[in-house]
Amino acid sequence: MEALIPVINKLQDVFNTVGADIIQLPQIAVVGTQSSGKSSVLESLVGRDLLPRGTGIVTRRPLILQLVHVDPVDAGKNEDVGREAEDWGKFLHTKNQIYTDFNEIRQEIEAETERISGNNKGISDEPIHLKIFSPHVVNLTLVDLPGITKVPVGDQPKDIEVQIRDLILKHISNPNCIILAVTAANTDMATSEALKVAREVDPDGRRTLAVVTKLDLMDAGTDAMDVLMGRVIPVKLGLIGVVNRSQLDINNKKSVTDAIRDEHAFLQKKYPSLANRNGTKYLARTLNRLLMHHIRDCLPELKTRINVLAAQYQSLLGSYGEPVEDQSATLLQLITKFATEYCNTIEGTAKYIETAELCGGARICYIFHETFGRTLECVDPLGGLSTIDILTAIRNATGPRPSLFVPEVSFELLVKKQVKRLEEPSLRCVELVHEEMQRIIQHCSNYSTQELQRFPKLHEAIVEVVTSLLRKRLPVTNEMVHNLVAIELAYINTKHPDFADACGVMNNNIEEQRRNRMRELPTSVSRDKALAGGPQGEPDGAGTWRGMLNKGEGGPGSGPGSPLKGVVNLLDVPVPVARKLSSREQRDCEVIERLIKSYFLIVRKNIQDSVPKAVMHFLVNHVKDSLQSELVGQLYKSGLLNDLLTESEDMAQRRKEAADMLQALQKASQVIAEIRETHMW
């Protein structure tokens, strides 16, 4: 199981090559306040002085430190390192450069930190990757994070505390991360900022290990026995005490090896019963064991995650397409594919079916039978016609002669006015279908023909050609729909079979009207005169024109000697807008209304059926049939090939990034598969 940590290091190397952190690998994050001894703990684990030191905030970028145990014999055989060097280091950003002088490693860390974070004590979340090879280390992956601070110093931003806190939480929120919470023994453990931050993401303490530093600096008369026994702050992974080198020791060039020997002596003297469960060496073994077990638990989920991402990047890379070799064939293929997908979207056989809303042919069908159909049904056959309008039309149609029957001319005038109202919703139907066919272009570009995204100029040209074709067909279709309504207006077919019943109703009403008038005549009036009509055949009621004239005979200026006797000045007497209708006027209006309604329903049925057919023939089907030839004729030209098939600026870069990431994921999957074959979990 010891080989699990090198496997994680290998996976880290794989993903470092593509600069990606999409996979959360198992690691140990070191958290603590400034000057809590974090750097000393890390140097003790490495066995060498390699980290920058100073006052204030020193660690300003995350340092991902990979410790790789090498056999001393193998280290001597490494020609790149040299026979005299037992341990060495390599940075990711310096590629294959090898550092055998650890002072140079420290200087490179400082230089790389200032290159990104500047020299004003600011921080950055971009990590520095350092790998240490040594026969004196155990296999570990550690992340040194900036120390927790409260007050900004120098040119630090005012929110430096928040920035550092967010950076720490970003790393320790990783469920595959073990938290190494470092706290100085000469501070109150109950106020430990490191443990407080750790509990925010790990409330149960299942992945938190506490380290108590500076055991030799506690006040006289006190000790850390209760703390080391876990009686103050219980931590499930344990609590380990260590002794750091003092600043005087560092100034005097005291080696880490000597410091570890002195630490062991201090623990044996001060805490003899706990000496074998504390100290730097025990901490290294514990971290190694915890990380191995943690890796073993994480690998199955890690393998699944890698396989899912590999499938996603394979699909993404496929959508970017291969570099163009044969331009003519590629252009013709893309044009044909777009035309096919456009037609398939209308027919409902497209590869990508929209689930959020109606699209293509389904929406066109909805426009025909729901939007257009319901709009026509909502058009009132008698809408906009008042009783006075109908009476006025009847009287205008009779001229100066009073009529015995309802004139047909008035019916035609009125019904044409109503039929004309069907033209606007019909033209609106054409507009809606045209808009939907325009939307299909975008649908095909986004979902069905993703290759077009590689070639923005080709995409723009295709959109322009299809839009132009739709634009040319719109007036033709509108003209046809206009003609459909005009055809209905050109000839009012009162002999239409469905209109026969209405005519029968009208004839029955006329006959009934004639019989009623005969009954109302006095017995002294002959029936011949009644049938022929005349002044006595019309009642002289106040609601008739004759009654109005009779009333005028007794008005002012109509005396026996007046020249205006029997004449009414209509300019002085306003015609009433609303009045009570006579029985005949009411019957005439009812007849006209029934005729208009009956004939309007016939025409509306015809329009409801013929308009969708016209739209399909002149717009939809015509575009479907001519789209391929139109695109080829406009775009398939040798002079346009280079321009149309020019990829977008970032497409080549995205293709390379996707290919590199896919290769890295495949390598990672292969590494995990090799471990599985050795039955290591």
Side-chain angles (χ1 to χ4, degrees):
M1 199 165 67
E2 181 69 25
L4 286 176
I5 296 178
V7 168
I8 293 300
N9 290 341
K10 189 180 295 185
L11 291 177
Q12 185 72 59
D13 293 342
V14 168
F15 291 115
N16 285 345
T17 58
V18 293
D21 56 356
I22 58 174
I23 297 291
Q24 295 179 323
L25 297 174
Q27 57 190 10
I28 300 173
V30 185
V31 181
T33 58
Q34 286 183 21
S35 304
S36 62
K38 293 191 296 88
S39 298
S40 296
V41 171
L42 290 174
E43 288 181 337
S44 298
L45 294 173
V46 176
R48 300 293 294 266
D49 293 328
L50 78 161
L51 298 177
R53 290 183 175 275
T55 58
I57 181 170
V58 177
T59 304
R60 297 188 286 128
R61 288 178 60 185
L63 174 66
I64 299 179
L65 181 62
Q66 292 177 269
L67 305 183
V68 182
H69 177 79
V70 294
D71 190 274
V73 177
D74 295 335
K77 293 180 181 179
N78 194 327
E79 297 180 357
D80 296 333
V81 176
R83 296 184 178 273
E84 298 181 357
E86 278 191 335
D87 39 17
W88 65 94
K90 291 173 64 176
F91 286 98
L92 176 64
H93 64 273
T94 59
K95 305 302 178 185
N96 296 323
Q97 184 176 352
I98 294 176
Y99 296 82
T100 56
D101 185 348
F102 280 76
N103 288 325
E104 293 182 2
I105 291 179
R106 181 190 302 110
Q107 293 171 3
E108 182 60 31
I109 293 175
E110 293 174 347
E112 180 65 11
T113 298
E114 291 189 2
R115 186 179 69 84
I116 299 297
S117 303
N119 54 8
N120 63 345
K121 302 296 184 180
I123 67 169
S124 169
D125 61 352
E126 184 176 341
I128 299 174
H129 294 267
L130 172 62
K131 187 178 290 188
I132 300 294
F133 300 85
S134 173
H136 307 297
V137 299
V138 295
N139 292 312
L140 283 176
T141 300
L142 302 160
V143 182
D144 186 20
L145 297 171
I148 301 172
T149 185
K150 292 291 185 180
V151 181
V153 296
D155 295 333
Q156 288 181 342
K158 294 182 178 180
D159 62 341
I160 187 68
E161 178 187 1
V162 177
Q163 290 186 27
I164 294 176
R165 180 183 178 83
D166 292 342
L167 177 59
I168 293 174
L169 290 175
K170 175 184 176 181
H171 283 80
I172 67 176
S173 296
N174 173 10
N176 297 333
C177 175
I178 295 176
I179 305 171
L180 190 65
V182 179
T183 304
N186 55 359
T187 60
D188 189 354
M189 288 289 292
T191 61
S192 171
E193 289 290 337
L195 291 174
K196 178 183 177 182
V197 173
R199 281 190 173 181
E200 291 185 21
V201 296
D202 183 34
D204 297 331
R206 296 182 181 276
R207 52 188 181 91
T208 301
L209 175 66
V211 175
V212 181
T213 62
K214 305 181 181 181
L215 290 175
D216 57 331
L217 298 181
M218 297 188 68
D219 294 339
T222 62
D223 60 32
M225 184 65 71
D226 289 342
V227 173
L228 297 177
M229 294 291 291
R231 297 168 184 164
V232 178
I233 302 292
V235 182
K236 290 188 178 181
L237 291 186
L239 193 150
I240 300 174
V242 297
V243 177
N244 304 112
R245 289 182 299 168
S246 65
Q247 188 61 45
L248 179 62
D249 294 335
I250 296 172
N251 295 338
N252 293 334
K253 306 296 182 181
K254 184 177 183 179
S255 68
V256 175
T257 304
D258 293 341
I260 292 176
R261 185 181 63 249
D262 293 346
E263 176 193 53
H264 179 71
F266 174 83
L267 292 174
Q268 289 289 347
K269 178 182 178 181
K270 190 71 175 179
Y271 305 97
S273 61
L274 302 177
N276 62 339
R277 287 185 286 131
N278 289 277
T280 300
K281 289 186 176 180
Y282 180 76
L283 174 62
R285 293 195 301 269
T286 301
L287 289 175
N288 178 264
R289 174 178 54 83
L290 289 175
L291 187 58
M292 283 191 299
H293 286 284
H294 197 60
I295 292 171
R296 182 192 61 188
D297 296 338
C298 294
L299 273 179
E301 182 182 350
L302 194 62
K303 179 178 182 295
T304 302
R305 172 68 174 161
I306 288 174
N307 291 338
V308 170
L309 285 173
Q312 292 176 352
Y313 274 92
Q314 182 70 58
S315 175
L316 181 63
L317 186 61
S319 68
Y320 292 155
E322 297 294 332
V324 177
E325 296 180 358
D326 189 342
Q327 290 185 329
S328 297
T330 301
L331 179 59
L332 186 59
Q333 179 185 5
L334 290 174
I335 289 175
T336 303
K337 184 172 183 180
F338 179 88
T340 302
E341 290 295 336
Y342 189 92
C343 296
N344 289 343
T345 303
I346 295 176
E347 295 296 334
T349 58
K351 181 179 179 181
Y352 296 90
I353 300 297
E354 183 69 55
T355 57
E357 60 179 355
L358 293 178
C359 178
R363 179 175 283 274
I364 292 174
C365 179
Y366 183 87
I367 292 171
F368 285 156
H369 302 291
E370 296 293 333
T371 307
F372 178 59
R374 290 183 178 179
T375 301
L376 290 187
E377 290 173 2
C378 292
V379 178
D380 184 5
L382 301 174
L385 282 183
S386 65
T387 305
I388 297 298
D389 293 336
I390 297 175
L391 285 177
T392 303
I394 294 174
R395 288 173 178 155
N396 286 338
T398 59
R401 297 171 298 279
S403 64
L404 294 176
F405 311 107
V406 178
E408 289 190 19
V409 177
S410 61
F411 161 71
E412 288 196 10
L413 289 173
L414 293 171
V415 81
K416 285 182 178 181
K417 178 181 178 182
Q418 299 306 101
V419 169
K420 184 69 175 175
R421 297 170 62 213
L422 298 175
E423 183 174 10
E424 182 180 352
S426 301
L427 294 175
R428 177 58 179 160
C429 175
V430 178
E431 183 181 351
L432 290 175
V433 174
H434 176 268
E435 291 175 357
E436 177 56 28
M437 296 191 72
Q438 193 73 34
R439 288 178 67 244
I440 296 176
I441 303 175
Q442 191 64 35
H443 173 82
C444 292
S445 301
N446 292 341
Y447 300 99
S448 304
T449 319
Q450 294 184 358
E451 292 91 337
L452 286 179
Q453 297 178 4
R454 293 177 57 192
F455 311 108
K457 291 187 178 180
L458 175 60
H459 177 251
E460 292 175 3
I462 289 178
V463 171
E464 179 60 32
V465 171
V466 182
T467 302
S468 177
L469 179 60
L470 290 172
R471 194 184 303 119
K472 286 190 295 185
R473 298 306 302 173
L474 184 59
V476 177
T477 310
N478 282 335
E479 182 65 21
M480 182 59 199
V481 171
H482 173 78
N483 287 338
L484 288 175
V485 179
I487 289 170
E488 296 292 345
L489 295 173
Y491 180 64
I492 305 300
N493 184 14
T494 56
K495 294 296 184 180
H496 192 284
D498 295 338
F499 195 60
D501 293 340
C503 290
V505 171
M506 183 185 72
N507 292 333
N508 292 338
N509 275 276
I510 293 174
E511 182 62 27
E512 181 182 356
Q513 181 183 21
R514 188 186 66 80
R515 288 196 298 268
N516 289 339
R517 291 177 61 189
M518 292 298 295
R519 295 192 195 100
E520 295 171 1
L521 288 175
T523 54
S524 59
V525 178
S526 67
R527 292 185 178 272
D528 293 337
K529 290 184 178 181
L531 292 174
Q536 294 177 342
E538 183 77 16
D540 293 339
T544 65
W545 289 100
R546 184 175 180 83
M548 293 173 63
L549 292 173
N550 288 339
K551 278 190 173 183
E553 292 177 358
S558 58
S562 172
L564 300 178
K565 181 180 180 181
V567 178
V568 177
N569 187 348
L570 296 179
L571 298 176
D572 295 335
V573 182
V575 178
V577 176
R579 59 183 178 82
K580 184 176 180 181
L581 302 181
S582 67
S583 58
R584 176 180 175 178
E585 289 173 335
Q586 191 168 357
R587 284 193 298 269
D588 290 349
C589 287
E590 290 176 357
V591 169
I592 290 294
E593 288 175 356
R594 291 180 185 178
L595 291 175
I596 292 174
K597 186 174 182 180
S598 177
Y599 195 82
F600 181 87
L601 295 178
I602 295 171
V603 175
R604 186 175 71 182
K605 184 178 180 181
N606 294 341
I607 294 295
Q608 192 170 353
D609 179 64
S610 59
V611 167
K613 292 178 178 178
V615 174
M616 286 299 297
H617 176 71
F618 287 91
L619 181 60
V620 180
N621 290 342
H622 187 279
V623 171
K624 282 172 50 184
D625 295 340
S626 60
L627 180 59
Q628 171 81 10
S629 59
E630 190 77 15
L631 287 172
V632 172
Q634 295 285 340
L635 303 179
Y636 192 65
K637 300 175 181 178
S638 58
L640 298 176
L641 288 177
N642 289 331
D643 187 47
L644 293 179
L645 294 181
T646 301
E647 286 189 321
S648 58
E649 296 179 358
D650 60 338
M651 181 57 67
Q653 179 64 25
R654 284 189 290 174
R655 186 191 296 109
K656 182 181 182 302
E657 291 175 355
D660 292 344
M661 180 58 70
L662 179 61
Q663 185 178 8
L665 290 167
Q666 290 172 342
K667 286 182 179 179
S669 181
Q670 184 178 0
V671 170
I672 295 179
E674 291 173 357
I675 302 175
R676 192 178 184 88
E677 290 176 1
T678 60
H679 305 286
M680 298 188 65
W681 87 78

